[in-house]
Amino acid sequence: MSGSRRMERLVLERGLVNKDEWDDAATRSPEVVVELLDAGALDTGALVAELALASGMPPVDLDQIEISQDALDCVPRTVCLDRGVIPLVKNGDVLTVAVCDPFDLVLIDDIEKRTRTRVFPMVTDPRSLRAAIELAFRSTEREVEELLGEVGVNGSLEMEVKVEPHLEDHDLDIDGEVGDDAPAVRMINALLTRALEEKASDIHIEPGDQNVSVRLRVDGTLSTLTQPPKSLLPAIISRLKVLAELDIAERFRPQDGKFRIRYEGRAIDFRLSLLPVVGGEKAVLRILDSNSVPHRIDSLGYEEKTLLDLRHAIQAAHGLVLVTGPTGSGKSTTLYSCLREIAGDGVNVTTVEDPVEYRMPGINQVQVQPKRGLSFAGALRSILRQDPDVVLVGEIRDLETADIAVKAALTGHLVLSSLHTNDAASSVNRLVDMGVDPYLVASSVTCVAAQRLARQLCDHCRRPAKFSEAELLTLGLTEVDWEGATPFSANPEGCARCHNGYSGRFALVEALRFDEDLRRLILSGSSSHELHQLGMRGGMESLRHSGLKNFLRGKTSLEEILRVTIDDRQDRSGDSA
């Protein structure tokens, strides 16, 4: 860098040092110019003046410049040190930088490609540049060390980044940026490690006025992990963008990406969503253990009647089986558990998903890629030409997908899919609202399973709960339900084995089987409330009642059941999620 041929020629031709002095300095250090400056053989002012004159770049005194954090976030510290550059100010799409070798024109091109900006270079001496880099990044490193202490891990993750490459390659050498010693790398590794240790499903990184809120979703609830200073947000976001191969310079539009790490010998996928908000960019990471083996359907804790109804539906030769519920209610786990039960050598199973959350041997899995023209509907059409016996559609999102799924179920295929509705009966109205004819819904759907995940009480710190008979009767429980019950409540202080008195989650499911009576109601245009009440009269175990039974068994608390379910006695006509 500072010992380049052109630099040597300029220094010698302008008489700043003689050849012997240059050669002598070269024997002591590859940083020849820095060595000459340190030895006093080369005058700093004279060097900068000659460099400015020869290159046409204006000189800059870094001691008089207040470096912008926005600019500093554009280029990693290791790149600044290796290439002899430091960003100074970012104004729109113009980035002002200081360089110590103005003849390195490739550097300017690389910075422009990396930052998607027009670079305005200024010239300084290498010794001042090195000092400015160390000073500018020192506070960030100190804050990172404090964050690592708060998080409580050393941030040592074996990273295996696996993402689709951009169409345009960047020439800038960023090898040093992804080393384990880089502050941003250690910081993100620490956050990911802690999230995996806590068995979190999501990581939320949210900018505030003075701090950044880092929260983990564990067992369905968010809790704050740490609140690092606001100055760390750009480094955190930039590192995540590097991992997911997103545009680092883009800060004003949403971006989505994904990456993979290796943790304790298994692959963990992360889906990254970035959203511009007041104060910066918010990042949400969904954690997906792609090597997790789905549970057996009989190990998910379903009530006996619910399990029998669902098994009856998935063991049929054809029909549409739907699993409904809000985001994060375990629909994918249930669907894969169904697949695990029915898959085998004699069955051709194909799935279309976005994303593929679990990988299962013996099953053909298709990843939806809308940017490449592969939608749910398009993939589903192709799958039906592949002679499938069972088709799993990750989610029915639109009329086109719904129409193909319904017709596939009517033409001899077993189709499994999911919807977002509040209960099982509301799925009928949702399909009709999408534009599917009621007679097609009535003819194709065989079972709808509505699902919630409820937190399970910690066995080590739960507390006995006492309720009067009158209180239980208001919940719809009977004396038969109450007989032999052993209810417990959560210890809000928790213990070392749990989070606020809860540890893990289990599924609450109501399964609505489609019989002739229900199909007649659908064709008559009945409301979801009427469909739900018919199902209850036919023996359907509702979400609320299933939850209350688990409360009486001491598995969860009454507060948790009231939180995740709604009263069966309410009229929910037209109610959907």
Side-chain angles (χ1 to χ4, degrees), residues 69 73 140 144 184 187-188 231-240:
Q69 185 65 45
D73 295 332
T140 299
V144 168
M187 178 168 53
I188 292 301
S231 59
L232 287 182
L233 179 65
I236 293 173
I237 298 298
S238 293
R239 175 57 182 162
L240 291 174

Side-chain angles (χ1 to χ4, degrees), residues 210-231:
Q210 304 296 328
N211 300 95
V212 178
S213 175
V214 179
R215 299 192 290 171
L216 303 182
R217 187 178 295 278
V218 180
D219 292 339
T221 59
L222 283 169
S223 59
T224 300
L225 172 64
T226 182
Q227 290 185 311
K230 183 74 172 289
S231 59

